[in-house]
Amino acid sequence: MGIQVGHRPSASEKHSWERSIPALRADLISAGLGQVEMLLEYRLPLTSKRADVILAGRHPRTNRPSYVIIELKQWSQAKRLEDSETLFRVAPHHTREYLHPGLQVDGYCDYLADFTTHLAETDHSLVGAAYLHNADDAGVADILAAPSGTRSRVFTGQRRGEFITFLQAHLAPLPGHDVADALLSSAVAPSRHLLKVAADEVQRQEMFVLLDEQRLAYEEVLHAVSEARSADHKTAVVISGGPGSGKSVIALSLMGELARQGRSVLHATGSRSFTLTLRRVAGARAPKVQKMFTYFNQFMDAEKNGLDCLILDEAHRMRETSVQRYTPKAQRLRARPQVEELLEAARVPVFLLDDHQVVRPGEQGTADEIDRFAREKGLDVRRISLDDQFRSGGSELFVSWVQRTLGLVPDGEFKWPGDERFELLTASSPAEMEAWLRGRAEEGETARIAAGYAWPWSDAPKDGALVPDVVIGDWARPWNVKGERAVGGAPPAALWATDPNGFGQVGCVYTAQGFEYDHAGVIFGPDLVWRDDRWVAVRDANKDPDFKSRKTVGDDVFDKLVRNVYKVLLTRGMKSVVVFSTDAETQAHLESLIPRAGGTRR
């Protein structure tokens, strides 16, 4: 029996294997399947999530490749959460909820089928099972009574005979190393980008596969909405996660499902670019759907609990108040904290946020602040952390590198060691960066250059040509369009990240935040430089009008916000990031940490 491990196991993983793997191995041998291949801790494509075991072999009837995903649970007792059939409390961990293990495995099966070229192009069998080998039927009766997934089944130790029969039905007593190798060497199919499927998601059918914490968050919200109506109960849900952890995927999945259930639901953000893009894509064939995408400041006079659910995406962009220069005087006099308005607008307000993406003065959306305010209002609060991330090719290493390099978390920077799932490079000039990215774009992939707000930003003259404000030596390019109209072939600001014609203009954090593209170029301007052994934020080099006032934005706040800006820009790429600094000392430091692009790819 071949066994392969996809990463260096931790002590806790080894301990778990010592209890679970021998049980599975014994069952395989009893089934006569000692020659199948076992892939332990298999990393799912473009994510940091791992399936416990994938069994690889041949199907007994067709002789085609056959894969069985196994989730090993050491649970012995589990009770469903009130009236839910998807959420459970597991002894001895009674203070948190767990997703139905069959749904967990079902998600793995669907996700693997969607993202693996080998499975898309080869006739195969793919099923899954959750194996609760320490449990008898009585201890987990609620799980067994609840509906499982369409691709998976749940077995207890008491049903060991049925589990063995299940394995024999999907795996022949033949060697499986070639089948395993085909899966391990398979190319990863392009991900279903959020905005390409938003229309189908919101209007017609589920298009996303939610994994583990994502599915748990989704089910928690659906349960809270159901509970709010049946028990006249109000709950705030706070979902926090880093870049690419799936917050917007959860938001759109909830929009689609709640709309199909007939619930009153709206989506709101503080980002004009993000909201306009969602309106354009999700409401492409149904203009009324566009009205479901709103802004945080549109709930000043909302009816209290008038909505079943209000989904607040990018909640880190909430402001102290919704008042702006266009707000009528009568509303100004009744102004309240924006978080209070949003909490009151729905029976279940859902806040999706990343504490490290606050990039603008006055943005106040943090998980702790929302939690505190909601509890002061007497609301129940459910907090969920999305530990896994999907942007940056699922590379936890890259996200850690960004945070540590910019000093956003302790432990200090480290030299980029390389990661087969993600490419990080330096360019010696913006021209080299652009050439490298253009090569990727010519291969049919998406690529953009973004920069810190360290250059002036001119209005487009009447002749329609954008002004090349971003000047670095003899290289000059314009910022993205300021307004909502295309200029000279360049798309409006809201569509810079998603329109193919966005390549050729330099984006800023306000047009890049909330979006993703395959390959990201990031220009470090003179507003953040490396001096001796630390980063220095240079206030006078920054041209963002929101940062101008030292009274409003102190130096410490400016330093934190500028680092967050570059963190956002660096985490937009799905497959690669190439960086360049206009400052010689900073460029030398980056080159000491990152390899050169050189116009080629690994």
Side-chain angles (χ1 to χ4, degrees):
M1 180 182 300
I3 298 177
Q4 299 186 46
V5 180
H7 71 113
R8 185 182 298 276
S10 66
S12 61
E13 286 172 333
K14 290 180 180 179
H15 182 66
S16 177
W17 294 352
E18 288 171 356
R19 296 186 175 187
S20 297
I21 297 302
L24 177 59
R25 183 177 183 275
D27 290 342
L28 286 168
I29 292 174
S30 296
L33 301 175
Q35 296 185 74
V36 302
E37 201 82 2
M38 293 178 66
L39 306 178
L40 303 186
E41 295 293 317
Y42 178 87
R43 182 189 291 271
L44 299 176
L46 297 179
T47 106
S48 55
K49 176 54 60 182
R50 301 181 179 95
D52 283 349
V53 179
I54 295 183
L55 303 176
R58 295 280 172 180
H59 197 279
R61 287 189 295 103
T62 66
N63 200 41
R64 292 172 179 165
S66 183
Y67 302 94
V68 181
I69 300 178
I70 305 292
E71 181 68 16
L72 297 166
K73 300 291 189 187
Q74 298 181 42
W75 302 350
S76 57
Q77 292 185 327
K79 297 292 183 182
R80 71 178 184 177
L81 179 65
E82 299 160 1
D83 297 326
S84 175
E85 292 185 327
T86 61
L87 300 174
F88 296 82
R89 289 201 171 100
V90 178
H93 310 292
H94 296 295
T95 59
R96 60 160 292 186
E97 292 83 37
Y98 292 84
L99 183 67
H100 188 297
L103 294 179
Q104 179 183 358
V105 177
D106 224 45
Y108 289 171
C109 290
D110 289 342
Y111 191 88
L112 192 65
D114 282 343
F115 285 83
T116 308
T117 302
H118 168 66
L119 296 181
E121 298 176 350
T122 306
D123 289 334
H124 65 279
S125 170
L126 176 62
V127 297
Y131 190 24
L132 285 60
H133 54 89
N134 286 340
D136 57 27
D137 289 3
V140 293
D142 285 355
I143 289 178
L144 297 175
S148 187
T150 58
R151 290 179 180 260
S152 64
R153 293 183 58 185
V154 177
F155 299 93
T156 64
Q158 182 178 333
R159 302 188 180 196
R160 179 174 180 263
E162 293 180 24
F163 181 56
I164 289 175
T165 301
F166 169 81
L167 295 175
Q168 291 172 329
H170 294 281
L171 294 164
L174 299 169
H177 57 83
D178 60 327
V179 177
D181 289 345
L183 181 63
L184 292 171
S185 62
S186 173
V188 175
S191 64
R192 296 181 176 184
H193 284 219
L194 173 65
L195 300 174
K196 291 182 180 179
V197 297
D200 288 326
E201 173 57 33
V202 173
Q203 294 179 47
R204 289 189 295 279
Q205 59 183 319
E206 293 185 19
M207 296 292 291
F208 298 111
V209 176
L210 302 176
L211 298 179
D212 289 7
E213 288 85 359
Q214 293 176 339
R215 182 64 183 267
L216 177 65
Y218 171 85
E219 295 291 351
E220 288 272 15
V221 172
L222 294 182
H223 182 71
V225 172
S226 177
E227 186 180 57
R229 177 173 288 187
S230 62
D232 193 23
H233 190 74
K234 185 178 173 82
T235 301
V237 182
V238 181
I239 302 171
S240 58
S245 55
K247 298 184 293 295
S248 294
V249 170
I250 294 168
L252 284 180
S253 296
L254 287 168
M255 284 283 289
E257 179 58 28
L258 291 171
R260 283 187 289 277
Q261 290 183 10
R263 309 288 193 178
S264 57
V265 56
L266 289 177
H267 180 286
T269 80
S271 167
R272 186 171 185 80
S273 294
F274 199 37
T275 297
L276 290 178
T277 302
L278 286 173
R279 285 177 177 175
R280 177 176 181 258
V281 178
R285 292 181 295 272
K288 66 179 181 179
V289 172
Q290 297 178 7
K291 299 177 182 179
M292 299 173 69
F293 296 92
T294 60
Y295 296 100
F296 294 158
N297 62 7
Q298 292 182 254
F299 295 88
M300 295 182 71
D301 291 326
E303 177 186 355
K304 187 175 182 178
N305 297 330
L307 297 170
D308 288 319
C309 185
L310 176 57
I311 299 169
L312 303 155
D313 206 349
E314 303 255 306
H316 44 266
R317 304 193 69 170
M318 284 194 306
R319 314 290 287 188
E320 181 179 357
T321 175
S322 296
V323 171
Q324 53 175 309
R325 59 179 175 170
Y326 301 112
T327 303
K329 183 178 180 180
Q331 286 186 321
R332 288 175 184 267
L333 295 175
R334 301 194 306 271
R336 299 175 293 161
Q338 191 172 79
V339 64
E340 179 179 342
E341 296 168 358
L342 299 175
L343 283 166
E344 288 194 356
R347 289 188 175 276
V348 180
V350 181
F351 299 84
L352 300 111
L353 58 90
D354 176 359
D355 286 343
H356 290 303
Q357 285 203 50
V358 174
V359 298
R360 209 170 198 166
E363 293 180 345
Q364 298 188 338
T366 68
D368 288 343
E369 181 66 15
I370 295 168
D371 188 305
R372 181 190 66 78
F373 206 100
R375 292 185 190 278
E376 287 179 356
K377 294 292 182 180
L379 277 66
D380 285 345
V381 180
R382 295 182 185 175
R383 291 182 64 165
I384 302 166
S385 175
L386 302 173
D387 296 327
D388 299 298
Q389 63 89 35
F390 289 67
R391 186 170 276 133
S392 306
S395 176
E396 295 170 290
L397 181 64
F398 176 68
V399 174
S400 175
W401 183 89
V402 169
Q403 292 176 332
R404 287 173 57 176
T405 297
L406 293 175
L408 296 173
V409 297
D411 298 330
E413 64 184 15
F414 60 92
K415 187 172 182 178
W416 176 247
D419 188 330
E420 63 181 11
R421 293 172 300 278
F422 193 77
E423 200 163 13
L424 175 62
L425 305 163
T426 58
S428 62
S429 68
E432 183 180 65
M433 171 188 289
E434 187 176 46
W436 194 89
L437 292 170
R438 182 176 287 108
R440 311 292 81 77
E442 289 172 351
E443 295 172 0
E445 299 184 311
T446 54
R448 295 291 185 276
I449 294 177
Y453 204 154
W455 289 267
W457 197 329
S458 303
D459 293 324
K462 292 182 179 180
D463 66 6
L466 295 176
V467 179
D469 287 315
V470 183
V471 180
I472 305 170
D474 58 0
W475 184 88
R477 294 292 181 272
W479 288 110
N480 59 255
V481 174
K482 274 188 176 181
E484 299 179 27
R485 294 180 180 274
V487 176
L495 304 182
W496 169 83
T498 55
D499 190 303
N501 291 326
F503 191 85
Q505 308 108 49
V506 178
C508 74
V509 67
Y510 303 128
T511 46
Q513 190 172 29
F515 297 97
E516 62 188 30
Y517 21 89
D518 294 324
H519 305 281
V522 179
I523 297 175
F524 279 72
D527 56 344
L528 186 65
V529 297
W530 182 264
R531 292 293 179 263
D532 298 325
D533 61 351
R534 63 191 179 95
W535 289 102
V536 176
V538 183
R539 186 168 200 132
D540 292 340
N542 189 275
K543 306 301 181 183
D544 191 333
D546 284 345
F547 292 170
K548 186 175 181 180
S549 171
R550 278 184 162 82
K551 183 178 180 180
T552 304
V553 184
D555 289 342
D556 289 346
V557 174
F558 173 77
D559 176 86
K560 179 180 179 181
L561 292 177
V562 167
R563 292 176 193 239
N564 281 350
V565 164
Y566 283 102
K567 185 250 188 180
V568 169
L569 297 181
L570 287 165
T571 52
R572 299 305 94 191
M574 286 286 290
K575 296 181 179 180
S576 77
V577 171
V578 55
V579 300
F580 167 78
S581 174
T582 61
D583 176 77
E585 186 174 340
T586 307
Q587 177 69 10
H589 180 66
L590 291 172
E591 289 179 353
S592 73
L593 299 175
I594 313 168
R596 277 280 308 280
T600 62
R601 302 179 74 178
R602 288 200 301 266

